[in-house]
Amino acid sequence: MGKYIIRRLLMVVPTLIGVTIIVFCLVRFLPGDVVQQISGESAQLTEEERADVRKELGLDKPIYQQYFIWLSEVVRGDLGESLQTKVSVGSELKNRLPVTIELGLLALMISLCVSLPIGVFAAIRQDTILDYVARSGAIAFLSIPSFWMGTLVMVLPSKWWGWAPPLQYYDLWDKPAENLYMLIIPAVILGMLLSGTVMRMTRAQMLEVLRQDYVRTAWSKGLRERTVVARHAIKNAFIPVITIVGLQIPVLVGGTVILESIFSIPGIGRYLMFSIASLDYPVVQAINLIVASVIILTNLAVDITYGYLDPRIRYT
């Protein structure tokens, strides 16, 4: 197990380098003039002034030199400065990252609390009315885009009842109740949309496990339903479910980007959207590096969890 983890951690490095190269190159193909963005739309710059700005930003060098300079700074723990605000990207992310993590964890908790019990229950009560309701709900959650649901929640309550979700953010440690009041609505939207996939996978895996011989043997011994399900079925059924949960992390990150913009939440998703629009290269590169790291390490954690849930799995 130890060798496997070390080998996977070593594979993280080339993967991250590949992701950073792709993002570093693609962000420079975005339409627009970064010099004009920094100087202001109404600024009238001569060619000499433009050249001075590009030299000051380091954009006059070949792209591979820019990349290696940025990479060497990242290795030293320096994510650079924002081209727009001249503020350290690291300090800005330090303030915004906890907000996004809180929103993502809330959404993931809601998703699992909804999908796992309903998925298990739907499998146990297969082809009943409750099973049909659960399956229909899962398909509905899969069909509704987060941006559409978020927009409806912002617009319809204000039109019908004169109420709108709060848009003033409060720090969790200063005003926890107000903080939760603001984040719970987008977290519920994102969590419910994520729960559709997990619910369907949980139900399908539970049905397969419940048909296994060892489960039938447990039934024939006269064990109670709760004992058979909890002790013999759930653990084996949850192995593929954990894979799905791990693969949902990119979807979770994408959902936070959209919902943070709709609900004016000051997380890294909203920061990323603003930075892409303003061609703020260092910010876009830093956020994508962090997101890629989280996704890769999450998948590693999922693989390691296999060994705990199924001792038959061997890591070579």
Side-chain angles (χ1 to χ4, degrees):
M1 175 70 82
K3 291 181 179 178
Y4 174 78
I5 295 174
I6 293 173
R7 194 160 58 243
R8 287 294 303 269
L9 286 174
L10 291 176
M11 290 174 60
V12 167
V13 177
T15 306
L16 281 178
I17 291 176
V19 171
T20 57
I21 290 175
I22 293 172
V23 173
F24 195 91
C25 295
L26 288 181
V27 75
R28 279 156 177 76
F29 289 113
L30 290 174
D33 185 352
V34 63
V35 176
Q36 193 67 48
Q37 286 275 353
I38 295 171
S39 306
E41 292 294 336
S42 59
Q44 300 292 330
L45 300 177
T46 63
E47 288 301 322
E48 291 75 13
E49 290 171 331
R50 285 178 174 276
D52 291 340
V53 174
R54 296 186 69 84
K55 184 176 182 181
E56 180 184 353
L57 299 176
L59 299 176
D60 59 327
K61 298 181 176 64
I63 190 168
Y64 69 88
Q65 286 188 13
Q66 295 179 41
Y67 175 77
F68 284 117
I69 292 172
W70 174 80
L71 187 62
S72 63
E73 292 174 347
V74 169
V75 171
R76 295 196 298 269
D78 182 7
L79 295 175
E81 288 186 350
S82 166
L83 298 181
Q84 294 290 336
T85 63
K86 303 301 180 185
V87 176
S88 167
V89 176
S91 62
E92 193 71 29
L93 292 180
K94 185 179 178 182
N95 296 326
R96 293 176 178 270
L97 195 56
V99 181
T100 300
I101 292 175
E102 182 187 358
L103 176 61
L105 289 178
L106 277 174
L108 190 59
M109 288 172 57
I110 292 171
S111 168
L112 296 179
C113 290
V114 170
S115 59
L116 295 181
I118 293 179
V120 171
F121 186 78
I124 297 172
R125 299 290 183 267
Q126 185 184 12
D127 294 334
T128 62
I129 294 178
L130 294 176
D131 180 28
Y132 292 136
V133 171
R135 290 159 63 184
S136 301
I139 293 174
F141 293 152
L142 285 171
S143 307
I144 302 174
S146 60
F147 69 88
W148 185 74
M149 180 60 73
T151 305
L152 289 185
V153 171
M154 286 295 292
V155 173
L156 295 183
S158 62
K159 183 178 179 181
W160 291 341
W161 306 301
W163 177 88
L167 299 179
Q168 177 66 44
Y169 177 77
Y170 295 96
D171 187 79
L172 174 64
W173 308 112
D174 294 336
K175 295 185 176 180
E178 289 82 355
N179 174 275
L180 187 61
Y181 180 54
M182 181 190 188
L183 293 185
I184 193 64
I185 296 175
V188 168
I189 294 173
L190 188 54
M192 296 300 286
L193 301 182
L194 288 174
S195 66
T197 304
V198 180
M199 195 185 304
R200 288 178 61 83
M201 177 60 75
T202 303
R203 179 184 178 277
Q205 292 302 316
M206 279 296 298
L207 287 175
E208 184 176 340
V209 171
L210 290 173
R211 297 187 183 111
Q212 298 295 317
D213 291 339
Y214 70 92
V215 175
R216 292 178 179 173
T217 303
W219 285 116
S220 65
K221 290 166 63 178
L223 297 177
R224 292 185 300 175
E225 180 182 78
R226 185 172 59 184
T227 303
V228 174
V229 172
R231 185 174 298 175
H232 299 284
I234 284 182
K235 189 174 180 180
N236 291 325
F238 276 9
I239 296 175
V241 176
I242 289 176
T243 306
I244 293 297
V245 174
L247 293 177
Q248 281 192 320
I249 297 302
V251 181
L252 184 68
V253 173
T256 57
V257 170
I258 296 171
L259 292 176
E260 283 180 4
S261 301
I262 295 175
F263 289 90
S264 299
I265 300 171
I268 63 170
R270 188 181 176 197
Y271 191 34
L272 176 63
M273 295 292 285
F274 173 78
S275 302
I276 292 175
S278 58
L279 301 178
D280 204 338
Y281 300 154
V283 178
V284 177
Q285 293 158 189
I287 292 177
N288 278 282
L289 175 64
I290 292 173
V291 171
S293 303
V294 170
I295 292 172
I296 292 171
L297 293 177
T298 301
N299 280 278
L300 174 61
V302 168
D303 290 345
I304 295 172
T305 309
Y306 283 173
Y308 168 73
L309 292 176
D310 189 352
R312 295 173 299 176
I313 295 177
R314 294 289 180 267
Y315 297 98
T316 58

mmCIF file of all heavy atoms in Angstrom, residues 232-258:
data_model
loop_
_atom_site.group_PDB
_atom_site.id
_atom_site.type_symbol
_atom_site.label_atom_id
_atom_site.label_comp_id
_atom_site.label_asym_id
_atom_site.label_seq_id
_atom_site.Cartn_x
_atom_site.Cartn_y
_atom_site.Cartn_z
ATOM 1 N N HIS A 232 -24.185 -6.766 5.565
ATOM 2 C CA HIS A 232 -23.739 -7.575 4.422
ATOM 3 C C HIS A 232 -23.845 -6.866 3.072
ATOM 4 O O HIS A 232 -23.126 -7.219 2.147
ATOM 5 C CB HIS A 232 -24.560 -8.877 4.359
ATOM 6 C CG HIS A 232 -24.419 -9.733 5.568
ATOM 7 N ND1 HIS A 232 -23.308 -10.496 5.817
ATOM 8 C CD2 HIS A 232 -25.254 -9.926 6.629
ATOM 9 C CE1 HIS A 232 -23.455 -11.155 6.963
ATOM 10 N NE2 HIS A 232 -24.631 -10.811 7.483
ATOM 11 N N ALA A 233 -24.730 -5.903 2.930
ATOM 12 C CA ALA A 233 -24.974 -5.339 1.594
ATOM 13 C C ALA A 233 -24.320 -3.985 1.380
ATOM 14 O O ALA A 233 -23.681 -3.753 0.344
ATOM 15 C CB ALA A 233 -26.492 -5.235 1.368
ATOM 16 N N ILE A 234 -24.489 -3.074 2.328
ATOM 17 C CA ILE A 234 -24.094 -1.681 2.076
ATOM 18 C C ILE A 234 -22.610 -1.549 1.776
ATOM 19 O O ILE A 234 -22.206 -0.838 0.851
ATOM 20 C CB ILE A 234 -24.506 -0.806 3.275
ATOM 21 C CG1 ILE A 234 -26.018 -0.554 3.243
ATOM 22 C CG2 ILE A 234 -23.754 0.517 3.264
ATOM 23 C CD1 ILE A 234 -26.515 0.333 4.345
ATOM 24 N N LYS A 235 -21.777 -2.216 2.560
ATOM 25 C CA LYS A 235 -20.334 -2.030 2.410
ATOM 26 C C LYS A 235 -19.860 -2.381 1.002
ATOM 27 O O LYS A 235 -19.077 -1.651 0.392
ATOM 28 C CB LYS A 235 -19.603 -2.872 3.446
ATOM 29 C CG LYS A 235 -18.119 -2.596 3.519
ATOM 30 C CD LYS A 235 -17.487 -3.364 4.675
ATOM 31 C CE LYS A 235 -15.996 -3.087 4.740
ATOM 32 N NZ LYS A 235 -15.361 -3.822 5.848
ATOM 33 N N ASN A 236 -20.332 -3.499 0.460
ATOM 34 C CA ASN A 236 -19.918 -3.903 -0.888
ATOM 35 C C ASN A 236 -20.568 -3.037 -1.956
ATOM 36 O O ASN A 236 -19.976 -2.778 -3.008
ATOM 37 C CB ASN A 236 -20.269 -5.372 -1.127
ATOM 38 C CG ASN A 236 -19.415 -6.300 -0.291
ATOM 39 O OD1 ASN A 236 -18.246 -6.028 -0.048
ATOM 40 N ND2 ASN A 236 -20.001 -7.382 0.184
ATOM 41 N N ALA A 237 -21.787 -2.594 -1.698
ATOM 42 C CA ALA A 237 -22.477 -1.774 -2.698
ATOM 43 C C ALA A 237 -21.872 -0.387 -2.812
ATOM 44 O O ALA A 237 -21.982 0.260 -3.861
ATOM 45 C CB ALA A 237 -23.963 -1.665 -2.337
ATOM 46 N N PHE A 238 -21.226 0.095 -1.769
ATOM 47 C CA PHE A 238 -20.735 1.476 -1.767
ATOM 48 C C PHE A 238 -19.391 1.653 -2.482
ATOM 49 O O PHE A 238 -18.954 2.784 -2.674
ATOM 50 C CB PHE A 238 -20.605 1.980 -0.329
ATOM 51 C CG PHE A 238 -21.910 2.508 0.216
ATOM 52 C CD1 PHE A 238 -23.097 2.336 -0.482
ATOM 53 C CD2 PHE A 238 -21.938 3.185 1.418
ATOM 54 C CE1 PHE A 238 -24.297 2.816 0.016
ATOM 55 C CE2 PHE A 238 -23.146 3.667 1.927
ATOM 56 C CZ PHE A 238 -24.327 3.487 1.228
ATOM 57 N N ILE A 239 -18.726 0.563 -2.881
ATOM 58 C CA ILE A 239 -17.418 0.715 -3.542
ATOM 59 C C ILE A 239 -17.535 1.491 -4.856
ATOM 60 O O ILE A 239 -16.837 2.487 -5.059
ATOM 61 C CB ILE A 239 -16.769 -0.665 -3.768
ATOM 62 C CG1 ILE A 239 -16.478 -1.325 -2.414
ATOM 63 C CG2 ILE A 239 -15.486 -0.537 -4.577
ATOM 64 C CD1 ILE A 239 -15.956 -2.729 -2.523
ATOM 65 N N PRO A 240 -18.434 1.103 -5.781
ATOM 66 C CA PRO A 240 -18.582 1.935 -7.001
ATOM 67 C C PRO A 240 -19.165 3.309 -6.705
ATOM 68 O O PRO A 240 -18.883 4.269 -7.424
ATOM 69 C CB PRO A 240 -19.542 1.113 -7.879
ATOM 70 C CG PRO A 240 -19.536 -0.256 -7.305
ATOM 71 C CD PRO A 240 -19.284 -0.090 -5.848
ATOM 72 N N VAL A 241 -19.964 3.414 -5.640
ATOM 73 C CA VAL A 241 -20.553 4.714 -5.296
ATOM 74 C C VAL A 241 -19.462 5.708 -4.922
ATOM 75 O O VAL A 241 -19.525 6.890 -5.281
ATOM 76 C CB VAL A 241 -21.564 4.541 -4.145
ATOM 77 C CG1 VAL A 241 -22.114 5.896 -3.707
ATOM 78 C CG2 VAL A 241 -22.711 3.628 -4.573
ATOM 79 N N ILE A 242 -18.444 5.229 -4.208
ATOM 80 C CA ILE A 242 -17.340 6.118 -3.833
ATOM 81 C C ILE A 242 -16.625 6.630 -5.069
ATOM 82 O O ILE A 242 -16.191 7.794 -5.125
ATOM 83 C CB ILE A 242 -16.368 5.361 -2.898
ATOM 84 C CG1 ILE A 242 -17.041 5.164 -1.541
ATOM 85 C CG2 ILE A 242 -15.065 6.121 -2.730
ATOM 86 C CD1 ILE A 242 -16.230 4.362 -0.573
ATOM 87 N N THR A 243 -16.494 5.777 -6.091
ATOM 88 C CA THR A 243 -15.891 6.234 -7.348
ATOM 89 C C THR A 243 -16.699 7.383 -7.943
ATOM 90 O O THR A 243 -16.133 8.392 -8.383
ATOM 91 C CB THR A 243 -15.841 5.072 -8.358
ATOM 92 O OG1 THR A 243 -15.174 3.972 -7.770
ATOM 93 C CG2 THR A 243 -15.120 5.491 -9.617
ATOM 94 N N ILE A 244 -18.017 7.236 -7.940
ATOM 95 C CA ILE A 244 -18.861 8.280 -8.502
ATOM 96 C C ILE A 244 -18.724 9.575 -7.701
ATOM 97 O O ILE A 244 -18.643 10.667 -8.268
ATOM 98 C CB ILE A 244 -20.329 7.811 -8.522
ATOM 99 C CG1 ILE A 244 -20.494 6.661 -9.513
ATOM 100 C CG2 ILE A 244 -21.259 8.960 -8.895
ATOM 101 C CD1 ILE A 244 -20.199 7.037 -10.953
ATOM 102 N N VAL A 245 -18.678 9.450 -6.373
ATOM 103 C CA VAL A 245 -18.520 10.644 -5.537
ATOM 104 C C VAL A 245 -17.201 11.347 -5.853
ATOM 105 O O VAL A 245 -17.135 12.574 -5.955
ATOM 106 C CB VAL A 245 -18.594 10.265 -4.043
ATOM 107 C CG1 VAL A 245 -18.290 11.478 -3.165
ATOM 108 C CG2 VAL A 245 -19.977 9.721 -3.703
ATOM 109 N N GLY A 246 -16.138 10.561 -6.027
ATOM 110 C CA GLY A 246 -14.853 11.158 -6.381
ATOM 111 C C GLY A 246 -14.880 11.840 -7.734
ATOM 112 O O GLY A 246 -14.329 12.930 -7.905
ATOM 113 N N LEU A 247 -15.564 11.219 -8.697
ATOM 114 C CA LEU A 247 -15.642 11.815 -10.038
ATOM 115 C C LEU A 247 -16.537 13.039 -10.060
ATOM 116 O O LEU A 247 -16.514 13.809 -11.031
ATOM 117 C CB LEU A 247 -16.172 10.761 -11.029
ATOM 118 C CG LEU A 247 -15.242 9.569 -11.288
ATOM 119 C CD1 LEU A 247 -15.923 8.572 -12.217
ATOM 120 C CD2 LEU A 247 -13.931 10.042 -11.897
ATOM 121 N N GLN A 248 -17.345 13.235 -9.022
ATOM 122 C CA GLN A 248 -18.221 14.404 -8.991
ATOM 123 C C GLN A 248 -17.510 15.662 -8.494
ATOM 124 O O GLN A 248 -18.094 16.750 -8.555
ATOM 125 C CB GLN A 248 -19.426 14.123 -8.087
ATOM 126 C CG GLN A 248 -20.499 13.287 -8.767
ATOM 127 C CD GLN A 248 -21.779 13.271 -7.982
ATOM 128 O OE1 GLN A 248 -21.763 13.201 -6.762
ATOM 129 N NE2 GLN A 248 -22.897 13.349 -8.664
ATOM 130 N N ILE A 249 -16.290 15.532 -8.011
ATOM 131 C CA ILE A 249 -15.577 16.709 -7.511
ATOM 132 C C ILE A 249 -15.425 17.776 -8.600
ATOM 133 O O ILE A 249 -15.653 18.963 -8.352
ATOM 134 C CB ILE A 249 -14.200 16.301 -6.948
ATOM 135 C CG1 ILE A 249 -14.408 15.352 -5.748
ATOM 136 C CG2 ILE A 249 -13.428 17.532 -6.507
ATOM 137 C CD1 ILE A 249 -15.239 15.940 -4.628
ATOM 138 N N PRO A 250 -15.029 17.398 -9.865
ATOM 139 C CA PRO A 250 -14.985 18.446 -10.908
ATOM 140 C C PRO A 250 -16.354 19.088 -11.144
ATOM 141 O O PRO A 250 -16.438 20.305 -11.380
ATOM 142 C CB PRO A 250 -14.517 17.675 -12.158
ATOM 143 C CG PRO A 250 -13.815 16.479 -11.632
ATOM 144 C CD PRO A 250 -14.514 16.114 -10.372
ATOM 145 N N VAL A 251 -17.430 18.279 -11.083
ATOM 146 C CA VAL A 251 -18.771 18.846 -11.248
ATOM 147 C C VAL A 251 -19.087 19.797 -10.098
ATOM 148 O O VAL A 251 -19.680 20.864 -10.287
ATOM 149 C CB VAL A 251 -19.822 17.717 -11.304
ATOM 150 C CG1 VAL A 251 -21.214 18.292 -11.509
ATOM 151 C CG2 VAL A 251 -19.485 16.729 -12.402
ATOM 152 N N LEU A 252 -18.661 19.407 -8.901
ATOM 153 C CA LEU A 252 -18.871 20.254 -7.723
ATOM 154 C C LEU A 252 -18.145 21.583 -7.874
ATOM 155 O O LEU A 252 -18.710 22.652 -7.594
ATOM 156 C CB LEU A 252 -18.375 19.510 -6.479
ATOM 157 C CG LEU A 252 -18.595 20.185 -5.129
ATOM 158 C CD1 LEU A 252 -20.072 20.230 -4.798
ATOM 159 C CD2 LEU A 252 -17.853 19.425 -4.035
ATOM 160 N N VAL A 253 -16.908 21.525 -8.350
ATOM 161 C CA VAL A 253 -16.141 22.760 -8.545
ATOM 162 C C VAL A 253 -16.800 23.636 -9.615
ATOM 163 O O VAL A 253 -16.943 24.851 -9.443
ATOM 164 C CB VAL A 253 -14.689 22.423 -8.940
ATOM 165 C CG1 VAL A 253 -13.930 23.689 -9.301
ATOM 166 C CG2 VAL A 253 -13.988 21.694 -7.806
ATOM 167 N N GLY A 254 -17.229 23.009 -10.722
ATOM 168 C CA GLY A 254 -17.905 23.773 -11.773
ATOM 169 C C GLY A 254 -19.195 24.404 -11.280
ATOM 170 O O GLY A 254 -19.510 25.550 -11.633
ATOM 171 N N GLY A 255 -19.927 23.657 -10.433
ATOM 172 C CA GLY A 255 -21.169 24.205 -9.887
ATOM 173 C C GLY A 255 -20.929 25.387 -8.978
ATOM 174 O O GLY A 255 -21.692 26.365 -8.999
ATOM 175 N N THR A 256 -19.860 25.330 -8.180
ATOM 176 C CA THR A 256 -19.565 26.466 -7.297
ATOM 177 C C THR A 256 -19.193 27.707 -8.099
ATOM 178 O O THR A 256 -19.529 28.821 -7.712
ATOM 179 C CB THR A 256 -18.424 26.124 -6.329
ATOM 180 O OG1 THR A 256 -17.270 25.742 -7.087
ATOM 181 C CG2 THR A 256 -18.802 24.989 -5.406
ATOM 182 N N VAL A 257 -18.492 27.523 -9.233
ATOM 183 C CA VAL A 257 -18.133 28.680 -10.074
ATOM 184 C C VAL A 257 -19.393 29.408 -10.527
ATOM 185 O O VAL A 257 -19.491 30.639 -10.438
ATOM 186 C CB VAL A 257 -17.307 28.218 -11.291
ATOM 187 C CG1 VAL A 257 -17.146 29.361 -12.289
ATOM 188 C CG2 VAL A 257 -15.950 27.706 -10.855
ATOM 189 N N ILE A 258 -20.384 28.648 -10.987
ATOM 190 C CA ILE A 258 -21.621 29.259 -11.502
ATOM 191 C C ILE A 258 -22.445 29.859 -10.379
ATOM 192 O O ILE A 258 -22.887 31.018 -10.454
ATOM 193 C CB ILE A 258 -22.426 28.198 -12.271
ATOM 194 C CG1 ILE A 258 -21.642 27.732 -13.494
ATOM 195 C CG2 ILE A 258 -23.784 28.740 -12.675
ATOM 196 C CD1 ILE A 258 -22.241 26.540 -14.188
#
